[in-house]
Amino acid sequence: MNIIRNSILRALAALIVGALLIKYPDHTLSGLTIAIGILFLVAGIVSLVTWLYERRREPVFTAYDAGTGQTKVIDSTTVFPVVGLGSLVLGAILDLMPETFIRLQMYLVAALLILAALNLYMNLVAARTFGRVGLGYWVLPTVILLAGIVVLVKPMESAALPLIILGWSLLLLGITEFICSFIYLKLKRSQEKAQAALEENAEEVADEETISEQTIDEADFESTEQQNTSTAPSPLSAE
């Protein structure tokens, strides 16, 4: 039953998460962006705190050079963590302006798609100077251009589209998990019933064999007594 229980729990979790992703894709996307921002913030804070702690220690120490026989002064000041500061700034931006960051990111994707489509169009126009270009070659640049325009017009909806697809996939996974659990439970119960029927039949057969053996033993005993009675000499014949 532990297998069935775990399967049902997985199915419920998949259904709940899938429904939330489909119902609130924008909020889920913002929440993921904020979570990523928190990770960047923690990394930046740890880096800066480590730098401040190392800076409080003695920044200079002396070392003896055996080759020259002189004492050298070595500066051990820790380098300022530029990457940690950048991580801190990026985490603050992600946490304070998640939707703005997502929009800017999608605008950048839309610009790249549109520029890529225009570049393909220019290549096809240049290729027409050498010969005829079929209509099928213009389909892919057109699809890329339309995708860029859609992302440019609806940036948040485009960013949430993968989460919606993921949500429907999780719903399908949860339903499939439920069906598999039901089939497994049904087959297991059928097997248990068949096993119980086999054991019951085996017990009945064993009981019948025991009864038949007892009957045979009783019959043998009666026939033996009859034989003994018939072979025993009567009193008249003895006289």
Side-chain angles (χ1 to χ4, degrees), residues 33 35 70 106 127 135 149 186 191 202 230:
T33 305
Q70 297 178 356
M106 297 310 297
L135 185 62
I149 293 173
K186 184 178 179 180
Q191 185 180 7
S230 60

Side-chain angles (χ1 to χ4, degrees), residues 7-23 166-179:
S7 180
I8 292 174
L9 290 176
R10 287 196 303 268
L12 288 175
L15 290 175
I16 293 172
V17 175
L20 290 175
L21 289 176
I22 295 171
K23 183 67 175 179
L166 179 61
W168 282 109
S169 300
L170 289 175
L171 281 180
L172 181 61
L173 175 63
I175 294 172
T176 306
E177 194 81 26
F178 266 123
I179 294 173

Side-chain angles (χ1 to χ4, degrees), residues 54-193:
E54 292 292 335
R55 191 178 181 183
R56 291 178 59 184
R57 300 171 63 185
E58 183 65 31
V60 178
F61 66 92
T62 59
Y64 178 75
D65 190 355
T68 59
Q70 297 178 356
T71 302
K72 292 184 178 181
V73 178
I74 300 176
D75 188 4
S76 63
T77 304
T78 307
V79 181
F80 181 78
V82 180
V83 178
L85 180 61
S87 177
L88 182 65
V89 173
L90 179 60
I93 293 173
L94 291 176
D95 290 336
L96 297 177
M97 298 180 294
E99 294 186 0
T100 303
F101 180 81
I102 295 171
R103 289 180 183 275
L104 291 176
Q105 189 178 13
M106 297 310 297
Y107 287 150
L108 179 61
V109 172
L112 292 175
L113 290 175
I114 293 173
L115 290 175
L118 293 177
N119 185 39
L120 290 175
Y121 278 129
M122 293 174 63
N123 292 334
L124 291 175
V125 171
R128 290 185 62 182
T129 59
F130 301 101
R132 182 177 178 274
V133 178
L135 185 62
Y137 293 99
W138 300 87
V139 175
L140 184 60
T142 304
V143 172
I144 295 174
L145 180 62
L146 292 176
I149 293 173
V150 170
V151 173
L152 186 64
V153 174
K154 296 182 177 181
M156 294 300 295
E157 290 81 357
S158 301
L161 182 60
L163 295 178
I164 296 175
I165 296 174
L166 179 61
W168 282 109
S169 300
L170 289 175
L171 281 180
L172 181 61
L173 175 63
I175 294 172
T176 306
E177 194 81 26
F178 266 123
I179 294 173
C180 292
S181 301
F182 176 75
I183 294 174
Y184 178 82
L185 184 61
K186 184 178 179 180
L187 293 175
K188 185 177 180 181
R189 288 180 177 176
S190 300
Q191 185 180 7
E192 290 177 352
K193 289 181 179 179

